Amino acid sequence: MKSSSPLKWFSSREGLYYLALAALLVVILPLALDPFRLNMVGKYLTYAFVAIGLVMCWGKAGILSLGQGVFFGLGGYCMAMFLKLEASTPEATAIQSTPGIPDFMDWNQLTELPWFWEPFHSFSFTLLAVIGVPMLLAFIIGLAMFTRRVGGVYFAIITQAIAAILTILIIGQQGYTGGVNGITDLQTLMGWDIRSDAAKTTLYFICVGMLFLCLFVARLVQNRKLGRILVAMNAQENRVRFSGYDVAAFKIFVFCLAAAFAGIGGALFTLIVGFMSPSFIGIVASIEMVIFCALGGRLSILGAVYGALLVNAAKSGFSESFPELWPFAMGALFIGVVLAFPNGLAGLYQSYVMPLEERLFKRKSKAEAQPVSEPEPTAEARKPAVEAKEAHDYDPMLDHYSPEKS
Amino acid sequence: MFDGYTSSELMSIFAMQGFAGLSLFSVFVLMAMGLAIIFGQMGVINMAHGEFMILGAYTTYLTSGFFQSYLPSLFGGYFFVAMILAFLICAALGALVEWLMIRRLYHRPLDTLLATWGLSLIMQQAYRSIFGAREVGVELPEWMMGAFQVTDLVELPINGLFVMIIALSIAVGVYLLMYRSGYGKKVRAVVQNRPMAEAVGINSAGIDRATFALGCGIAGIAGAAFTMIGSTGPSSGQAYIVDTFLVVVFGGAQSLIGTIVSAFGISQAQSTMEFFLSGSMAKVLTLLVVVGILMLRPEGLMALKVRR
């Protein structure tokens, strides 16, 4: 679906979807909500970054990572470290036994800044680290796993273990990381007070801007040959391999991309919420991130944004009025999405709302009527593949050698 | 980290921590046996396994309460009744879950993971609503209290020993069931070649349901045994689930012996390192080593040699 001019693209169906999202996020929500609520929406949007990454990684390429919280957390902690250093000037921390280091280090009898905190005095280094550190870790994990052809279930379990390792490490090393409380009491970014209402609104718009940048990158990837290879890899990994493509390299790429998105989201989360703690990044949080993506539709990057918004809004709504009910609702959501509509809201939209649209706007040509961004396998299209697989000896041990159906 | 210890001191430290690690070993074996059946044989990831275990623990708690109020004379033996009840209840629930959910999701292992995670959230909240958020413990019968003094440094509590015996007998039982019984042959036939197994008249759907129920039932027994050495709360199951999956994967998903060996290795490594490092660092190091080895040997320690 190549459009010759930007103007034409914006009037295409896909362009309209993006415009609608932009209108919702840039115009409708800021007008309708007070700064406090808008700040909350901003927080939900930071999860949308992770969800977009998961769509690319899980929906398209079939690599389910249950450790996206790790990358979210790394980005968030990098930003938090910068802000914490800025808040811990010798003047502000004069009552400590060693002024000039973050307060929790002082409480834990550290007398000098650990070496890995030093570079975070520089803002440009921090911005690099927010993307670079998660990508580096993703690269190492990806290199180790995908070149050994570890995939599917095994990859999911190992990423989950990595999430566990990181959380235990952060909680255990209280002096270096702030422990279970996390890094709190963040005040200014380059001298700009991030706690004021005006700053929060500005941060919201920065977040929306970054989100559209990420959506643009993700769209670029999915509509190029690269994206098609990812989808092909998901369906028939060995055929792609035998065609001469380096499957591991593609997997590492998409995993790193997802990690970078998550890192950006984490950094924005720290700015918007004003602190970072291990409870946002552990196993439970990481799996919840998967449901944002699954509810929105695991094949649709726009769906991921809506999924993150909806689940988080529901969570806030429920836990304000019925804290007991939320886990039930969340559990039902997991089961319902998987059993009843595996392609999420975007899938529902495509199968129910789109045909209606077709009838309303008959002027759309046949070419336009085809799903614009997602060449997605519907339930019917998927069946033969499953049957084909049944015909082979089914052996769970072989699963990471054969294409994953999920 | 061994600085400042003589070799004889080190030996007794290893012995002491080794015995201490045995109770962790029994927990791992108990939980991992059920998982190894469900994951290794059926390829289903059951994230609600920990919650089935907690169900067994609550069953034991209720049974002990019942015996205390109505049958105090038989209190010494309540545990065996509780164990059977825990098995039956968990197996029944497991069969129900398989029928409602899992059977629609074979061949989509990652989706079973998400769906059972949802189930685990629901079960956890149900426990919280019914039993409260506080941890509950059971009263041990008299014969289970006390300890054997093995050496000056090492003493073995009887309840820990008892749980270890249960763990090992379950392991033996599972082995006999899987490798020495007609049912086990059918399970393995279905795992290896489903269409052919169906062709020779094996009811593969029935086998699936029975296997899932069996795995959940064993989780129930694990939970019952678990109450003997610690208290249980609504979210205790979740605390172990990642470790247990690593145990199963590390040992090689289809190998029961591998599961036991890896449970032993992981629990011993963790317990020994805990003496020299802090508890959390010991756990981090253990998990890192396990993940590292899994990257080198993705099929686990004792992978079956299959022709591909």
Side-chain angles (χ1 to χ4, degrees):
Chain A
M1 181 96 325
K2 294 265 156 53
S3 303
S4 47
S5 76
L7 209 65
K8 206 171 165 193
W9 184 76
F10 274 115
S11 64
S12 75
R13 185 193 289 269
E14 193 193 356
L16 284 179
Y17 293 151
Y18 279 86
L19 275 183
L21 182 67
L24 177 74
L25 293 180
V26 182
V27 184
I28 301 175
L29 287 179
L31 287 178
L33 300 172
D34 56 66
F36 173 71
R37 295 272 167 195
L38 194 65
N39 188 42
M40 276 171 71
V41 176
K43 185 175 106 182
Y44 308 158
L45 282 183
T46 60
Y47 286 119
F49 288 86
V50 187
I52 296 171
L54 275 171
V55 167
M56 300 308 293
C57 182
W58 174 39
K60 305 281 178 193
I63 311 161
L64 176 55
S65 156
L66 293 181
Q68 288 309 96
V70 168
F71 307 121
F72 186 79
L74 285 176
Y77 266 94
C78 285
M79 184 54 86
M81 281 156 86
F82 172 74
L83 297 178
K84 189 68 192 172
L85 284 181
E86 202 178 294
S88 317
T89 53
E91 299 80 53
T93 53
I95 50 162
Q96 292 176 180
S97 47
T98 11
I101 62 168
D103 47 11
F104 60 83
M105 291 185 187
D106 195 56
W107 301 333
N108 286 285
Q109 280 90 40
L110 288 191
T111 48
E112 61 181 313
L113 206 59
W115 59 269
F116 61 89
W117 275 71
E118 289 293 348
F120 287 94
H121 280 296
S122 144
F123 186 58
S124 40
F125 176 83
T126 307
L127 285 186
L128 270 179
V130 158
I131 302 176
V133 173
M135 275 181 87
L136 184 68
L137 181 65
F139 181 75
I140 295 170
I141 297 173
L143 195 65
M145 311 282 279
F146 298 133
T147 49
R148 307 264 328 157
R149 300 194 190 173
V150 180
V153 169
Y154 292 82
F155 184 75
I157 291 172
I158 288 178
T159 47
Q160 203 173 27
I162 290 169
I165 292 173
L166 187 82
T167 345
I168 298 171
L169 201 61
I170 287 177
I171 294 176
Q173 298 298 305
Q174 206 171 3
Y176 299 119
T177 59
V180 75
N181 299 322
I183 300 182
T184 54
D185 205 19
L186 308 173
Q187 294 160 352
T188 54
L189 173 72
M190 313 278 282
W192 177 56
D193 192 344
I194 55 167
R195 291 164 303 171
S196 66
D197 272 357
K200 290 195 160 168
T201 314
T202 316
L203 280 174
Y204 170 81
F205 283 110
I206 293 177
C207 181
V208 173
M210 290 302 294
L211 187 70
F212 274 94
L213 189 67
C214 286
L215 279 173
F216 174 72
V217 173
R219 186 183 165 275
L220 210 63
V221 170
Q222 83 172 7
N223 286 5
R224 294 298 143 108
K225 189 179 165 195
L226 183 59
R228 310 237 183 277
I229 290 174
L230 291 180
V231 175
M233 216 167 61
N234 186 9
Q236 287 289 342
E237 184 175 325
N238 276 332
R239 287 193 192 171
V240 177
R241 182 172 289 129
F242 299 152
S243 309
Y245 291 103
D246 185 352
V247 167
F250 284 99
K251 285 187 170 177
I252 293 172
F253 166 77
V254 74
F255 189 50
C256 286
L257 184 76
F261 286 170
I264 297 173
L268 285 164
F269 181 88
T270 303
L271 285 171
I272 287 177
V273 176
F275 72 105
M276 190 74 215
S277 94
S279 59
F280 301 123
I281 66 180
I283 294 171
V284 178
S286 298
I287 297 189
E288 278 187 15
M289 288 170 186
V290 175
I291 201 71
F292 303 155
C293 160
L295 177 80
R298 64 182 72 167
L299 291 163
S300 155
I301 50 177
L302 276 180
V305 179
Y306 290 110
L309 279 178
L310 276 177
V311 177
N312 281 295
K315 183 176 188 170
S316 306
F318 263 110
S319 20
E320 273 167 23
S321 29
F322 317 98
E324 290 257 300
L325 280 183
W326 172 244
F328 287 124
M330 187 79 172
L333 200 61
F334 269 98
I335 298 173
V337 164
V338 169
L339 283 181
F341 49 112
N343 286 327
L345 290 179
L348 284 184
Y349 181 84
Q350 272 192 342
S351 33
Y352 295 106
V353 185
M354 259 187 172
L356 277 182
E357 274 178 29
E358 303 296 330
R359 251 175 285 150
L360 284 174
F361 307 102
K362 277 204 172 140
R363 63 192 169 83
K364 297 278 180 203
S365 68
K366 256 199 176 155
E368 287 268 318
Q370 272 170 8
V372 182
S373 52
E374 290 88 25
E376 81 175 280
T378 56
E380 291 75 37
R382 194 183 276 241
K383 251 182 199 153
V386 173
E387 274 163 13
K389 186 160 179 174
E390 256 172 326
H392 294 295
D393 331 0
Y394 180 66
D395 179 351
M397 278 301 293
L398 295 177
D399 240 47
H400 54 288
Y401 288 97
S402 53
E404 200 57 70
K405 283 286 157 294
S406 56
Chain B
M1 67 189 203
F2 299 129
D3 294 347
Y5 296 102
T6 66
S7 58
S8 66
E9 272 175 333
L10 277 180
M11 281 309 290
S12 55
I13 288 169
F14 280 131
M16 196 169 65
Q17 292 303 108
F19 278 111
L22 285 180
S23 77
L24 187 62
F25 166 64
S26 8
V27 173
F28 277 163
V29 168
L30 281 169
M31 274 192 79
M33 273 298 140
L35 264 194
I37 295 174
I38 294 175
F39 177 55
Q41 308 295 324
M42 303 168 73
V44 168
I45 303 202
N46 183 12
M47 290 304 270
H49 195 77
E51 278 63 37
F52 277 101
M53 194 182 91
I54 305 299
L55 183 63
Y58 279 120
T59 310
T60 313
Y61 167 70
L62 292 180
T63 318
S64 88
F66 178 82
F67 270 72
Q68 245 169 350
S69 6
Y70 299 103
L71 297 165
S73 55
L74 296 176
F75 188 70
Y78 85 86
F79 179 74
F80 299 99
V81 181
M83 216 162 70
I84 294 166
L85 273 180
F87 178 83
L88 291 178
I89 291 178
C90 289
L93 186 66
L96 183 71
V97 166
E98 202 274 348
W99 180 67
L100 283 174
M101 224 163 80
I102 308 291
R103 71 190 167 113
R104 294 160 218 273
L105 297 174
Y106 291 122
H107 311 298
R108 286 159 65 194
L110 292 178
D111 284 356
T112 61
L113 189 159
L114 288 182
T116 50
W117 178 263
L119 180 69
S120 88
L121 289 179
I122 291 177
M123 285 169 81
Q124 264 183 51
Q125 185 57 38
Y127 300 148
R128 211 168 283 135
S129 307
I130 299 170
F131 297 101
R134 278 183 46 238
E135 300 211 328
V136 297
V138 299
E139 204 168 306
L140 291 182
E142 249 169 57
W143 57 269
M144 233 187 258
M145 295 184 210
F148 290 119
Q149 195 77 29
V150 184
T151 67
D152 293 345
L153 281 173
V154 179
E155 65 173 29
L156 280 180
I158 293 180
N159 56 353
L161 208 61
F162 180 69
V163 170
M164 212 167 358
I165 291 169
I166 296 180
L168 291 178
S169 32
I170 285 184
V172 171
V174 167
Y175 174 80
L176 291 179
L177 197 60
M178 283 295 162
Y179 293 98
R180 292 285 180 273
S181 76
Y183 163 76
K185 270 185 194 151
K186 286 181 187 167
V187 173
R188 285 181 294 140
V190 169
V191 167
Q192 285 182 5
N193 193 336
R194 185 177 291 271
M196 191 53 96
E198 279 167 6
V200 295
I202 295 175
N203 174 4
S204 74
I207 290 287
D208 283 340
R209 189 153 317 143
T211 311
F212 194 81
L214 177 71
C216 293
I218 291 176
I221 298 184
F226 206 48
T227 57
M228 298 289 113
I229 51 175
S231 50
T232 32
S235 49
S236 334
Q238 216 166 45
Y240 281 101
I241 191 76
V242 175
D243 292 353
T244 320
F245 264 114
L246 274 189
V247 166
V248 174
V249 171
F250 187 53
Q254 284 182 319
S255 157
L256 292 176
I257 302 290
T259 304
I260 295 174
V261 170
S262 83
F264 188 76
I266 291 177
S267 60
Q268 290 303 325
Q270 192 166 324
S271 157
T272 312
M273 276 193 278
E274 257 167 29
F275 188 85
F276 300 100
L277 305 160
S278 69
S280 65
M281 279 314 283
K283 184 140 192 218
V284 166
L285 269 183
T286 317
L287 290 180
L288 271 180
V289 170
V290 170
V291 167
I293 295 179
L294 275 179
M295 285 173 177
L296 297 176
R297 278 188 70 92
E299 288 110 276
L301 285 181
M302 302 201 174
L304 288 184
K305 296 272 179 291
V306 272
R307 198 154 44 99
R308 299 188 198 286

